[in-house]
Every structure is written in C-alpha cells, then in structure tokens.
Amino acid sequence: MSYLEYNVKSTPTGLRKILYLNWPLTLLLITVASVGFLQLYSVAGGSLSPWAEPQMKRFALGMTAMLVVAMVPIWFWRNMSVVAYLLSVVLLIAVELVGIEGKGAQRWIDIGFMRLQPSELMKITLIMLLAAYYDWLPARRTSHPFWVLVPVMMILFPTYLVLRQPDLGTSILLVTAGGGLMFLAGVHWAYFAAVIASGVGLVTAVFESRGTPWQLIKDYQYRRIDTFLDPASDPLGAGYHITQSKIALGSGGWTGRGFMQGTQSRLNFLPEKHTDFIFTTLAEEFGFVGGISLLSVYALIILFCVASALATRDRFSSLLTLGVAITFFLFFAVNMSMVMGLAPVVGVPLPMVSYGGSAMLVLMVAFGLVQSAHIHRPRGRSR
Amino acid sequence: MKRKVKDQGHSQGKLTRRTAVMGGLQLAFVGALGLRMRHLQVDQADQFRLLAEENRINIRLIAPTRGELFDRNGKVLARNVQSYRLIIVREDAGDVDQVIANLSKLVRLDPGELEQAMVEMRRSPPFLPITLADRVTWEDLSRVAVNAPALPGITPEVGLTRVYPRGPDLAHVVGYVGPVSDYDLEKIEDPEPVLRIPRFHIGKVGLEAKQEDLLRGKAGAKRVEVNATGRVMRELDRQEGQEGADIQLTIDAELQAYTQARLKGESASAVVIDCETGDLRAIVSSPSFDPNLFVQGISVADYSRLRDDKYRPLANKSVQGVYPPGSTFKMVTALAALEAGSVSPNDTVWCPGHMEISGRRFHCWKRGGHGHMDLLNSLKQSCDVYYYDVAIKVGIDRIAEMARKLGIGVRHDIPMSAVARGLAADKAWKQETYGQNWQIGDTANASIGQGYILASPLQLAVMSARIATGRKVTPRLVKSIDGVEQPNLSTEPLGLNENNLRQVRKGMFAVANDRRGTGYRSRIIEETMRMAGKSGTSQVRNITKAERAAGVISNADLPWERRDHALYVAYAPADNPKYAVAVVVEHGGGGSSAAAPIVRDVMLQALYDGTPPLEAYPTGDRDRIQAQQEELQRDQDEREISQSDRA
C-alpha cells in the first residue's frame, strides 16, 4: 500500500497525537525502567551514583527520543528505511577502520560528543529495511528463491561485520530477529526447516568427529566450545559468574531477602553486576514473586506490540512492530536464560534495566517507531 | 503499484497466522523461563540458601607483587616493603563507633583516613573488610594484638607498600604510585578486576605510570569457602598470578644524586646521555619532591606548597620543559648552512654589532661588534650577526630540517610523563598555526635559537651527542626488563658530511678551551678529558629600543622571572666522546656563567664515575671547587642518614 492510500485525514495531527499514543505500552516501559533505577540504586549500596542517576537521565533522553520519533508519520520512516540501513552499514565499516577498542572488541566510534555503537543501531535499521522490503514485495513472490536470497544478504552482511568486532551476542540477535521477520512475512516453511536441519547436522558432525581421524576442528577449539557450553568446567573463569548467579537467584526464595538486603558479597568481584547480571540482584532481593512480575511485564510489552501490529492494515507497520517485539523478546529471553544457566554467557543486557546508554536509547527509538505506527495507523471508513 | 484486494487479504491472513505461531513460541519460552525460575527459587531454594548462608563460595583476588626498579648498577630505585594495616569488618565489630573509639586510644588514627574508611563502610556490605589505618608501626600492631578482646572485628593484615629509597632524586623519572581513583577507572576501558581491590596502587606519573602494564603483573585468584561471618573456612583452589616485571634503568643513581645536589637552590634541569648507546645516565629537574609523600596520599598543605612554589618542583623540566635554546642552537644553523653548501667554513661576515633586515635592526649581544667573523670564531665568541647572515642564505626550512635531524622538534620515545616535542618551526608550521607567512626576521630570530624555536634539555643533550658522534643517538631509559637487555638504537649514521661535523666540533672545542671562548672559564684541563661545548642565553623578554639606547638592564637588576635562561651543552672527551650533557638554569642569567660550571662539574663526575680529582680543574678554581665538593658531600651524608631513618 503506498502512502497515498493512508487515510491521512483521519490520523490525528499536531500535539493531539500525544493522546493517541499507545499509552499502556508507554506505562509498561516506564515501569520496567523504574525497576532498573531501583536495582541500580541497590547495587550501588543505596546510592544514586554511580549508576542510577545517569541511567535516569538517559531514560529521560530516551523518552524524549521516543516521543519525537513517534510524532513523525510512519510513512516517512518507511521511506527512510534504505537510507537508515545504509548509514548503519557505513558506520559498521567505519568501526572496522577507526573504532575504539573496549573489552577486547572494537565496537565504538567516537563522534565527538558521544560514543556510538553502530551494532546497536543496526538492530533497528535492519528491522526497518526488512519490513519495508516485504511491504514492497508482492506477496506471491515472497517465497521465490531469488526474493528470499535478497533479505538473507541484507541480514548476513551486517552480521558478518558485527561478528568481526567480535560481538557474538549482537550477531545472534541480528540473525534471529531477521529470520523471525522473514518467517512472519510468509516465507515458505521449507526454507526454515532446511536451515535448521543443516545447522543441526553441521553441529552434530563437528561433535561426532571429535577424536576421530577426520576431526573437523582443532582440539583447543573444542575446549573453548566446552567452556562456552559448560562454564562449570572452568570454575575460576567463566563458570564463576554462573555459579554465583544461580546461588543468588536460589537464595532469593519465594519473596526474596528484601530491598537492599541481598548479600552481594559473591557478586562483589562480578564486574557485570550492574549490567548483564542485574537480574540476579533483583531475583535475590524480591524472590520468585519479583522475578515473575518482571517477566510478566516483559510479556505484556510483547503482547501490546502484537495487538498493535494486528490492529493495523498497513503491512510495513505490522512487520516493523512485530520486528521490534521480536528484538525485545530476544533481549530479555537470552539474558534471562544466560543468568539462569540455561544458555552460555553471551553479552546481552536485560532490556531497559541493565545499566547502559546505547542499548536503552536504541530500544526507546525502536518503541518510538512502534508508537508512530500506532498513531498513524489507517483509520475510519473501510475495514 | 496497486495490489489486488484479494492478494492483500491473503497476505494479511497469513501474517496473522504466522504471528500467532511466533507469539505461541514466545509464550512457551516465557513459560519455560518462569518454570526455571520457580525451579531455582522455590524448589531448590533451601539448598541454595544453605550455600549462601553457611558456605558462601567467594573468589578472592591475590594482588600481584609490583615489579621493582633498579638503576644501571643494580641500586634499588623503587621496591615493595611489607607494611601492616588494620582492617575492620563491620559485621564482627558490632558497635563500630565504640570499637573505633577504643582503637584510637591505642593507636593514633589519621582523621582523613578514618573519614574515608567511614564513607567506604557505609557504601559496602557489612562483611567486607575496610582498611582503618595504613602503615601501622610494629609497636602499634603489638598494642592492638594485646588488646584484641576489646577490639572485636579488627584484624591486622600484611600488605606491600611502595617505597622510593632514593627519595627526591628520581621523583621525576620514576614518578610514584597511588590508590586507583574513580578518575583512573573511568579512563580505562574495562578495568581489570584487580583495580577494584580497595586501595590497590597503580602508577600515577613517570615511569611507574608509563610502564604500568609491565610493572603490575597479573592478579591471581583463590576460591575460598567462607562462613556466615565472612571468615575463611578453607581454600578450595588457587590460581597463582604473575609478578610484575623488574625494570632496570639506564640511570646512574649516584650521578643522578650528585647532579640533583649540584642543582640545589636553582630552578634548573640537567640531562646526561651516553654518546655510544643513548643511555640516559641522569635526568634531573630541580627542585624536586619526595615521591614517598604521594604514595599514601599527600596532605593538602604539602601539596599546595609544592603546587604554589614558583620554582615548580612538580614539573619535570628536563623532558617536559621547553625553552628557546638560544645560542646553543647555532650549531644547527651552522650545520644546515654547511650541508647546503651555502657557506664554507672560511667565509667571513663583518659584524658591526647589528644587522639591518627588512627595515628592522637585529642586534648582536656584543654592542660594539665582533669585526670579521668566520665559522670557528663565530661559534667561539657566539657572534649573532654571523648567524643572521648565514641563516638568511640557507633559509628556515633547511634549518628546521637539520634541527629535527639532530633531535629538536621531535618527541623522543622514553617512558616518562609529558615528554615534550619542542618546536622546529618552519614556513609550513607558521602558515598552519597562525595563518601567516614566514618573515625573514623570523629566520634571523630562529638562527640564534630565539623566536619560535623551542627545545627541551633532553633534546639539547641528544643534539650534542649527535653532533659529537655523527650518529643518530636515540635516548634510552630502560636498560633491561626482567633481565632482558633492551636494544641499542643509536648506531644508525645521521648521513652528515664528516668534514662539516668536524668544523662545528672544532668551534665547540674552541668555545670551551680557547682563551676567548665563552666557556673558557669552565674548562677541563685534564688532557684526556677535554670538553667541547656551547653556551646559550635565551631572552624571555623583549628589549625595547628605549632600553637599548639607555643601556640594557643587567640580569642582576631584573626580577627573577624576567631574567634570561642560562643554557650550556657539551660533550667530552672531545676527541672520543663518551657523554653529552645539557643544563638549563631557568632565569639564571648568562649561559657561560650560570650553566657552564654545572655542566663541567657533572661531566667530570660522570667521566670519573665519582668525585673527580682537583687536578682536572684549572689551577685558580681549585680552592673554590674543593669547598664546593666538601659541602655537597656533607649534604649527601646528611641525606643518607635521614634515609636510613625512614627505612
């Protein structure tokens, strides 16, 4: 549907748009962010510095960004998709060339007033581009091999760049979110079945070959995979995080030890207690009740996004909103699995709660797009 | 592109179906997460709570031992000594205020340190140990041990503290360590966990900071089981860390000490470099400060006294300070001209005491003029007009290029803080910096090392060593790391014509040995150790026309900060150069009178590797020199006594 078909007259204009925001979604976001402030306050030993206060400021900035993005008509964003995607790719390449090293990986570029992490930006712009692509592509061509290859390239190229940094967490997120969107857009089941089957086959082959003369990878690579999959085999290294994390969770019990009462001694030398592992402190202090509540709020956010996506007849808006929902889902699902010892440790933050500016800002902008789609959805006459 | 309604409806339906599938998957995953949470937090809660309450497994980092620093002869410049500190565990202490009150009756607690401890205590959980007092004496420690029952929660702990046995002598070279600050942590991307150990020390300035990675080593870790009171029950396993590397410097601590003492009372700096290897034998900046004061955190009063001193003891003048090199730059101008073929050594210039250049009068330091000047005489008597003339012939770009070749205007790579680049100004630089064209007058000023030209004492020493050897002498501060000798980078030839170099060296020899040379009074008479040198006096103010007419005010009548800088560079022995020395005395007056005697004394000290015999000095000076040597010896003895007190 081209933008001429939008029923422009019946969409709200000017400041009236604020009334048409997806208010439940907004309130849920504020709730989650507040949980973050509370935990950062607690982790710092009952102090606004060094984490809670900057986080609040960033959230205020993110809120503003969300509102600004929401006020701009969704068709503008659709037309910008290609440009935004290309810009992110250029920035990713720039990281290769002039990036700042940090945590043993090259992820940032310095643009004067702030540090930009293009891989974060890529998470939205990829979703935007894929949504715009499937909006443009006639539905009957969706499963044509050529028209499947195009989005696959769109996903794999930036993924390759991100993997080179190296940033495994973001790479997984990009591939899974992109694949998810292709699935939603209606690409034939068989493609997904084939990819999953060959992936499983490859992994099996690699492991089956271990110890045989035709071994596929080197011994030390196996050992690395071992500690990655089973951190407990390296108790002073990777396993330490997980063991401590599980103890913290477990000692929380039904209702937890109470706010600021978590004995964080075991987390004291855990550098990520305010970022990736923040859920452990929440679960320790508020117990199962607290943990399940946060999980429910996350689920509600997804639910409101899905509802909003299904309520619009604009294909771009639907796909975009669902794409953002998938990304958000992956964030918290991967993080929580990791913290609970269900998945290997890959650096993925708990969305809107973990300390960190880039990730939060990007998510807020993404929700700005969702809001814009919601405000500017086709209304009135026909349904 | 207009789609058929049916097509659209179809894809809409498909989207809804797929969304339902996807949503179902997500919901299932959320459910799984919830179940896992329940499993961990409800079903296994008792087990984990037991783990948490009774047998907490804790990782304790083992701080690595910092590498030690030695001079070229193996004398210790920085080492770690055992020190005792008192720590408190809030949880065990019960009434913290009461315990601290009891403790302060036995041990004098520093109020600042105590306040810091209280802040730390409020911010950390009750079972974490907090340092109450650092560097507790053995007597205090015994008193605490005897009264242990009255002091629950207080335990003595053994730690290592950095000590600089040579005190102020190497403060600028070695620098000092201090506790990691929030500012340090912010600067480091992904700081190692060891940096978060309370009061872990890292290098703050100087070599300690520049070689931090080598010196620090790697932290080890041990996994311990602790009970509910935080007491360690048993050690489960341990990964040994790696000690920091020991670093041996090229510095000769005795020479450094002598030079420091010799510069006492002046705001001055001196550099001694080995002409063969580029080894820096001494890098001195005076006045200095005691780095040991900084290790624990310096008091505000001490710090502001150092900061506000007009002689700037905190600044490392020998590598960080830049000065107009004055006449010591004339070798550069001369070599540039000789190499370009613009002049030959025997060409003469008439010096009437001044020279007109594009309508402005440029003066020679000697009002009446020097008369006919050739290269040798111009260096010997430091005639300015000769160099105005030569410089205009050869042009600034060639002079600047020669300066860089000789080590001025390039940053020498040595591990000290804020190593200055200096400035070998040329046309492009002025255009870039000021957007102005280079003037011919700028060339005249540059030819005698004034105007835009700036050099650090280190660069001047390098320049002298390069002229002396004709090789690209490259300064080296680190002799060996953990016993591994570092490469000698000073063997590459400069590519200058040996004949031209010889002419300039002849001039420098005349400066220091000819009866009319500016450095004659500070000569060495021991035949095998003759010195070649060059004096410099650089203006820090403009002399107005009116003042010149009335007679230039002498330095003694000026306030200190407006007097000229005194410079002297030299190498010796002249026929087989071993060391090059550069000295700059800030606002010291004339180079030949204020700086040259220091250079001579330091040079002899280096050549004789100790106190030189009086026979090396000119006959008339011997009494004075003997008195001076005795006084310096007394000073040094006194200092040694105070140092052994500290140890």
Side-chain angles (χ1 to χ4, degrees):
Chain A
M1 159 149 77
S2 90
Y3 72 89
L4 288 174
E5 292 169 62
Y6 283 87
N7 192 346
V8 177
K9 270 188 193 150
S10 64
T11 52
T13 51
L15 282 177
R16 269 172 52 83
K17 284 180 180 178
I18 292 187
L19 293 174
Y20 288 84
L21 271 181
N22 194 341
W23 276 106
L25 182 61
T26 314
L27 291 177
L28 285 170
L29 289 175
I30 293 173
T31 310
V32 178
S34 309
V35 170
F37 305 151
L38 218 57
Q39 276 324 111
L40 289 172
Y41 177 81
S42 161
V43 168
S47 160
L48 282 176
S49 69
W51 299 309
E53 199 186 331
Q55 185 82 343
M56 288 180 186
K57 287 182 184 155
R58 285 173 187 158
F59 182 66
L61 185 71
M63 217 48 195
T64 319
M66 184 185 93
L67 290 177
V68 170
V69 172
M71 294 298 114
V72 177
I74 190 68
W75 47 89
F76 172 80
W77 293 119
R78 188 191 59 189
N79 295 346
M80 289 304 289
S81 303
V82 179
V83 180
Y85 175 83
L86 289 179
L87 187 71
S88 319
V89 168
V90 168
L91 287 174
L92 272 179
I93 294 171
V95 166
E96 281 279 304
L97 304 176
V98 295
I100 297 162
E101 293 257 347
K103 298 197 177 184
Q106 213 168 1
R107 293 183 190 172
W108 292 276
I109 45 176
D110 209 326
I111 51 167
F113 62 97
M114 69 172 282
R115 279 179 169 188
L116 193 69
Q117 204 173 339
S119 58
E120 293 286 345
L121 204 60
M122 196 71 227
K123 287 173 194 160
I124 332 180
T125 51
L126 178 66
I127 299 288
M128 282 170 77
L129 182 73
L130 289 173
Y133 172 81
Y134 281 112
D135 180 40
W136 164 82
L137 192 73
R140 66 195 143 78
R141 292 202 181 135
T142 312
S143 293
H144 185 282
F146 176 78
W147 297 108
V148 171
L149 194 64
V150 172
V152 166
M153 295 324 282
M154 290 172 179
I155 297 167
L156 289 187
F157 182 58
T159 305
Y160 166 75
L161 290 174
V162 171
L163 207 52
R164 271 184 60 111
Q165 290 179 352
D167 183 349
L168 186 61
T170 305
S171 310
I172 293 174
L173 236 56
L174 284 177
V175 169
T176 322
L181 204 69
M182 287 175 71
F183 175 77
L184 289 171
V187 175
H188 201 278
W189 289 98
Y191 286 105
F192 297 97
V195 168
I196 291 168
S198 54
V200 170
L202 187 69
V203 171
T204 320
V206 165
F207 276 96
E208 283 301 310
S209 73
R210 187 171 192 175
T212 61
W214 48 283
Q215 188 165 313
L216 288 171
I217 54 176
K218 299 261 163 49
D219 277 337
Y220 76 90
Q221 287 170 319
Y222 279 115
R223 279 197 295 279
R224 248 186 235 173
I225 293 174
D226 282 347
T227 43
F228 183 69
L229 293 179
D230 178 19
S233 62
D234 181 15
L236 277 181
Y240 172 62
H241 286 46
I242 289 303
T243 315
Q244 298 306 328
S245 175
K246 277 185 357 195
I247 294 178
L249 277 164
S251 64
W254 263 108
T255 51
R257 290 163 174 258
F259 184 53
M260 297 209 13
Q261 298 301 307
T263 47
Q264 291 162 10
S265 72
R266 60 192 69 91
L267 297 177
N268 209 41
F269 287 116
L270 193 64
E272 260 93 31
K273 67 182 173 195
H274 60 292
T275 57
D276 292 358
F277 279 82
I278 194 159
F279 183 70
T280 57
T281 66
L282 178 110
E284 184 186 23
E285 293 180 1
F286 297 107
F288 178 66
V289 175
I292 225 56
S293 308
L294 183 68
L295 192 61
S296 311
V297 176
Y298 279 138
L300 276 177
I301 289 176
I302 303 286
L303 212 63
F304 274 100
C305 284
V306 171
S308 169
L310 292 180
T312 179
R313 276 172 295 124
D314 176 34
R315 192 167 161 81
F316 175 72
S317 297
S318 297
L319 286 171
L320 180 70
T321 306
L322 290 170
V324 171
I326 293 176
T327 309
F328 189 75
F329 169 78
L330 286 173
F331 263 118
F332 77 77
V334 172
N335 178 276
M336 286 190 174
S337 312
M338 169 174 112
V339 168
M340 289 192 244
L342 288 175
V345 179
V346 288
V348 172
L350 191 62
M352 312 289 293
V353 176
S354 283
Y355 180 75
S358 243
M360 176 187 267
L361 205 62
V362 161
L363 273 175
M364 291 306 280
V365 168
F367 280 113
L369 292 170
V370 170
Q371 298 276 21
S372 169
H374 188 79
I375 294 170
H376 304 95
R377 66 183 184 275
R379 287 183 172 74
R381 297 179 315 203
S382 66
R383 165 82 224 196
Chain B
M1 185 167 42
K2 192 94 176 169
R3 253 166 266 150
K4 283 194 203 111
V5 176
K6 192 182 159 202
D7 182 25
Q8 200 185 334
H10 175 71
S11 66
Q12 185 82 28
K14 194 167 192 178
L15 180 66
T16 311
R17 281 201 306 281
R18 292 251 165 137
T19 307
V21 172
M22 184 73 94
L25 283 175
Q26 294 185 353
L27 207 64
F29 202 96
V30 168
L33 285 176
L35 283 178
R36 172 74 176 176
M37 213 184 287
R38 199 192 127 84
H39 177 66
L40 285 175
Q41 297 201 275
V42 181
D43 302 344
Q44 294 191 321
D46 294 344
Q47 182 196 336
F48 279 123
R49 193 154 260 189
L50 203 69
L51 266 179
E53 292 295 338
E54 285 174 10
N55 272 314
R56 285 180 271 214
I57 294 171
N58 211 325
I59 292 259
R60 297 271 168 93
L61 289 174
I62 310 167
T65 311
R66 196 172 175 83
E68 306 203 318
L69 298 172
F70 302 94
D71 90 332
R72 65 180 303 113
N73 299 315
K75 297 206 168 100
V76 180
L77 305 182
R79 66 188 153 102
N80 309 305
V81 295
Q82 279 202 340
S83 66
Y84 302 95
R85 54 175 186 261
L86 294 175
I87 56 168
I88 184 168
V89 178
R90 204 169 72 197
E91 204 171 53
D92 301 349
D95 186 353
V96 176
D97 294 329
Q98 183 58 46
V99 171
I100 290 180
N102 288 347
L103 182 67
S104 56
K105 278 180 213 147
L106 298 168
V107 180
R108 215 189 66 80
L109 294 171
D110 180 63
E113 218 168 358
L114 196 61
E115 196 177 320
Q116 198 192 337
M118 297 307 267
V119 171
E120 264 178 57
M121 227 180 292
R122 272 196 294 276
R123 286 181 57 168
S124 45
F127 43 79
L128 216 66
I130 308 286
T131 307
L132 271 183
D134 231 338
R135 296 200 187 188
V136 182
T137 61
W138 183 247
E139 290 83 59
D140 283 350
L141 203 68
S142 338
R143 264 201 293 276
V144 171
V146 170
N147 293 287
L151 302 167
I154 293 203
T155 31
E157 221 181 56
V158 185
L160 291 175
T161 310
R162 197 72 156 169
V163 168
Y164 303 101
R166 302 225 144 225
D169 284 354
L170 284 112
H172 298 107
V173 181
V174 168
Y176 49 83
V177 297
V180 183
S181 65
D182 290 347
Y183 174 73
D184 293 324
L185 282 177
E186 241 165 64
K187 270 195 308 188
I188 310 167
E189 199 67 60
D190 189 30
E192 281 180 48
V194 65
L195 295 183
R196 296 182 190 276
I197 297 180
R199 309 201 180 190
F200 185 75
H201 281 42
I202 57 166
K204 293 289 185 171
V205 293
L207 190 103
E208 290 268 32
K210 291 287 167 177
Q211 303 284 39
E212 172 66 23
D213 292 347
L214 283 172
L215 289 168
R216 187 194 300 157
K218 289 258 174 301
K222 58 183 172 187
R223 216 156 59 110
V224 291
E225 248 179 41
V226 290
N227 69 4
T229 56
R231 199 171 298 284
V232 177
M233 302 307 283
R234 65 190 172 113
E235 192 175 304
L236 297 174
D237 47 13
R238 163 191 275 265
Q239 265 176 6
E240 288 302 334
Q242 198 189 339
E243 280 186 19
D246 290 341
I247 296 183
Q248 185 181 26
L249 304 190
T250 57
I251 299 285
D252 176 347
E254 295 305 323
L255 182 65
Q256 178 89 12
Y258 171 81
T259 313
Q260 190 79 60
R262 182 66 182 80
L263 293 181
K264 195 176 159 194
E266 300 280 5
S267 173
S269 50
V271 174
V272 181
I273 190 170
D274 186 314
C275 292
E276 259 161 61
T277 57
D279 282 3
L280 292 161
R281 295 289 183 125
I283 311 177
V284 179
S285 179
S286 170
S288 187
F289 60 92
D290 186 353
N292 292 301
L293 288 178
F294 282 82
V295 175
Q296 279 200 86
I298 188 168
S299 73
V300 177
D302 280 347
Y303 185 73
S304 47
R305 193 170 43 73
L306 287 172
R307 189 194 50 206
D308 299 336
D309 190 330
K310 71 173 176 175
Y311 280 14
R312 295 177 295 128
L314 292 174
N316 179 9
K317 292 163 195 146
S318 41
V319 304
Q320 177 184 346
V322 289
Y323 308 89
S327 300
T328 58
F329 193 71
K330 283 177 180 166
M331 280 87 79
V332 176
T333 310
L335 268 174
L338 290 172
E339 284 286 314
S342 318
V343 290
S344 84
N346 299 323
D347 292 349
T348 60
V349 173
W350 171 255
C351 168
H354 58 82
M355 184 172 175
E356 297 286 338
I357 301 165
S358 56
R360 246 183 82 197
R361 180 169 278 209
F362 283 76
H363 290 269
C364 187
W365 65 270
K366 193 169 176 185
R367 278 197 95 187
H370 287 95
H372 286 291
M373 283 280 113
D374 63 2
L375 176 68
L376 181 76
N377 279 301
S378 73
L379 274 174
K380 183 166 77 186
Q381 301 181 39
S382 203
C383 170
D384 292 336
V385 167
Y386 178 88
Y387 289 91
Y388 298 149
D389 184 84
V390 167
I392 289 165
K393 279 186 193 139
V394 62
I396 186 63
D397 284 349
R398 281 212 164 100
I399 294 176
E401 197 194 317
M402 181 58 70
R404 284 190 283 266
K405 199 166 217 174
L406 294 174
I408 292 173
V410 285
R411 186 176 284 119
H412 295 297
D413 182 23
I414 58 170
M416 287 174 72
S417 294
V419 178
R421 187 148 183 251
L423 179 58
D426 56 17
K427 287 177 185 161
W429 171 84
K430 190 173 179 190
Q431 191 57 256
E432 216 170 90
T433 314
Y434 294 105
Q436 289 168 3
N437 286 328
W438 186 268
Q439 305 294 322
I440 197 99
D442 295 334
T443 306
N445 272 330
S447 73
I448 57 161
Q450 296 279 162
Y452 296 121
I453 305 290
L454 290 172
S456 68
L458 171 70
Q459 291 172 333
L460 292 174
V462 169
M463 174 192 79
S464 314
R466 288 188 181 178
I467 292 173
T469 59
R471 280 182 289 107
K472 195 173 172 215
V473 177
T474 306
R476 181 172 88 147
L477 182 61
V478 174
K479 186 165 155 55
S480 65
I481 296 170
D482 260 345
V484 180
E485 185 82 13
Q486 300 299 294
N488 173 6
L489 301 168
S490 303
T491 48
E492 194 187 322
L494 278 176
L496 298 179
N497 184 326
E498 186 57 33
N499 211 26
N500 294 337
L501 279 168
R502 202 175 305 135
Q503 294 299 333
V504 170
R505 289 179 198 146
K506 236 166 85 183
M508 288 177 74
F509 186 80
V511 167
N513 296 287
D514 190 290
R515 195 167 293 279
R516 297 179 66 183
T518 53
Y520 178 70
R521 274 186 303 152
S522 302
R523 68 197 178 279
I524 293 173
I525 66 159
E526 165 62 42
E527 199 51 49
T528 57
M529 293 190 182
R530 293 271 186 186
M531 188 162 77
K534 181 75 195 79
S535 60
T537 305
S538 71
Q539 280 174 26
V540 290
R541 65 201 184 99
N542 280 319
I543 297 174
T544 57
K545 243 182 185 161
E547 187 188 328
R548 210 176 277 281
V552 176
I553 305 170
S554 84
N555 272 309
D557 300 332
L558 280 168
W560 178 78
E561 59 279 352
R562 282 166 59 80
R563 291 180 200 165
D564 298 339
H565 292 318
L567 300 92
Y568 199 80
V569 299
Y571 63 85
D575 47 4
N576 176 28
K578 183 88 186 79
Y579 299 114
V581 179
V583 165
V584 176
V585 182
E586 283 189 350
H587 310 293
S592 50
S593 55
I598 302 176
V599 170
R600 190 247 322 256
D601 292 348
V602 171
M603 183 71 89
L604 279 171
Q605 192 81 18
L607 288 170
Y608 279 100
D609 196 11
T611 311
L614 287 172
E615 287 72 49
Y617 288 94
T619 351
D621 291 347
R622 285 180 190 164
D623 292 346
R624 195 174 50 73
I625 297 288
Q626 190 174 10
Q628 180 191 311
Q629 280 179 358
E630 277 162 11
E631 198 194 318
L632 286 176
Q633 193 56 49
R634 252 198 317 280
D635 274 8
Q636 235 155 327
D637 291 347
E638 267 168 39
R639 264 194 18 174
E640 254 156 49
I641 291 166
S642 74
Q643 267 166 24
S644 58
D645 276 357
R646 185 167 43 222

